[in-house]
Amino acid sequence: MTTDTPPRTDGTTRAEGTRRSEGTTRAPANLADLVGDADAFLAEVWGNRTATFTCEPAKALLSTADVWRELDCGALIVPYFGVLREDATPTAAGVSETRIVQTKPRPGYAKPAAVRQSVASGHVFVLRQLEDWNAGIGALVDALRGECRAQAGADAYLCAAGSDGVPARVDGAHSLVVQLDGRTRWVVGEGEHASKTVLRAGEVLYVPAGRARSAAPDDADSLHLVISLQQPTARDLAELALAQFLKGSAAAEIAGSHHFRSPAQKAAWLRTELRAHLAGHDPAALAQQAVRLRQREGRA
């Protein structure tokens, strides 16, 4: 296992990143704010390797105090929170309650005391789907969705000092991890190919899709944001293109005459018409439509 920190592809040291952000108070609003040169990132880093970047203003997205305020305000409800226990799937079991809202019972409200006790005992508190209810994070996720042509969502993880942190997981999404408070020890990869790094507040870690990753607080309480970006798969694109073809004029015209054709003639027709249909597609537009479709159907 290697212990080298991934190279900082924005070309700055931590001190230089701090000086660059002086006088800048707005939170990051797009990919370039997080990684510097967005074009270079997408061409050289995306999908190829892990990398870290310095973005001091990212700390303005959310703080530990903000997390506790959201909990204590009394409006936090499933599915927008949970705790991690045995695995990497958040659950509200044991930390939620039913309340009477407009004379009707409504389950799933967070119990602040129970959540605080759970965090103190070593469990991780998760704020989920922040893009839906946090304006700053929502604006950033919207921008990343378009720039990366990917389904996007954001969750925040609050880990108490001494806890085991977030268990290892692998999924099909690319991840931009933003360290908001404290420090987090990350292990990316498995076995002899794994790498370790400590992410400090104001730093960003990119993890390509399909890489195992785990996180634990480093000596003190830690808060980090994970922005998940899942691009359409080849199957997604094929199914969308085929669905559009079947709704098109060519498919409609043959519907009333296909029984006059032999199987070989039908196959030849399909090859010709489907080739013409695909040739007329704008690949970028097809990918963007697939992203919107996945977004409507639910998060990764």
Side-chain angles (χ1 to χ4, degrees):
M1 175 181 291
T2 62
T3 58
D4 294 336
T5 299
R8 299 181 179 279
T9 55
D10 62 354
T12 68
T13 64
R14 289 192 174 94
E16 288 168 345
T18 302
R19 288 197 298 271
R20 184 179 64 180
S21 68
E22 289 177 355
T24 302
T25 56
R26 73 172 181 87
N30 53 45
L31 184 60
D33 287 345
L34 292 177
V35 303
D37 188 333
D39 291 337
F41 169 79
L42 292 172
E44 301 169 10
V45 179
W46 180 270
N48 295 319
R49 57 184 173 86
T50 60
T52 56
F53 307 88
T54 301
C55 180
E56 286 288 330
K59 293 185 291 186
L61 287 168
L62 190 72
S63 69
T64 301
D66 293 333
V67 172
W68 292 128
R69 274 194 296 269
E70 292 292 350
L71 175 65
D72 293 334
C73 78
L76 202 55
I77 190 170
V78 171
Y80 299 109
F81 79 96
V83 294
L84 301 184
R85 291 200 174 95
E86 301 302 325
D87 56 28
T89 303
T91 176
V95 294
S96 62
E97 63 184 355
T98 298
R99 296 181 187 171
I100 303 300
V101 180
Q102 296 181 338
T103 73
K104 296 182 180 180
R106 180 72 184 270
Y109 280 93
K111 294 173 63 176
V115 171
R116 288 178 181 272
Q117 182 178 4
S118 183
V119 172
S121 64
H123 298 137
V124 177
F125 181 40
V126 187
L127 290 183
R128 308 184 68 190
Q129 297 176 222
L130 281 158
E131 72 279 7
D132 292 339
W133 53 282
N134 179 290
I137 293 174
L140 174 60
V141 168
D142 281 344
L144 294 174
R145 184 180 296 124
E147 291 179 284
C148 300
R149 295 177 182 172
Q151 180 183 356
D155 299 330
Y157 297 78
L158 179 61
C159 309
S163 72
D164 291 334
V166 182
R169 62 173 296 181
V170 181
D171 58 37
H174 300 258
S175 297
L176 284 168
V177 181
V178 182
Q179 188 67 27
L180 302 168
D181 272 342
R183 302 191 304 180
T184 300
R185 301 190 310 273
W186 284 87
V187 179
V188 179
E190 298 176 286
E192 62 181 13
H193 300 295
S195 63
K196 292 181 177 180
T197 188
V198 176
L199 210 61
R200 295 163 174 79
E203 295 183 339
V204 178
L205 172 67
Y206 166 71
V207 181
R211 302 281 180 90
R213 61 188 188 275
S214 62
D218 186 50
D219 300 329
D221 293 356
S222 169
L223 175 66
H224 67 268
L225 179 73
V226 178
I227 303 174
S228 299
L229 299 157
Q230 183 156 351
Q231 293 182 317
T233 64
R235 184 187 181 95
D236 292 333
L237 297 173
E239 289 179 346
L240 178 58
L242 184 58
Q244 293 174 344
F245 172 74
L246 293 174
K247 293 179 180 178
S249 58
E253 289 172 3
I254 200 174
S257 61
H258 69 89
H259 48 281
F260 296 117
R261 304 185 184 213
S262 68
Q265 289 173 323
K266 293 176 186 178
W269 171 89
L270 179 62
R271 183 169 55 249
T272 300
E273 295 296 334
L274 189 55
R275 182 186 297 118
H277 173 74
L278 294 174
H281 262 299
D282 176 358
L286 182 66
Q288 195 62 42
Q289 191 171 356
V291 168
R292 290 195 296 268
L293 183 61
R294 287 183 64 94
Q295 201 74 30
R296 287 198 300 269
E297 292 176 346
R299 301 175 73 216

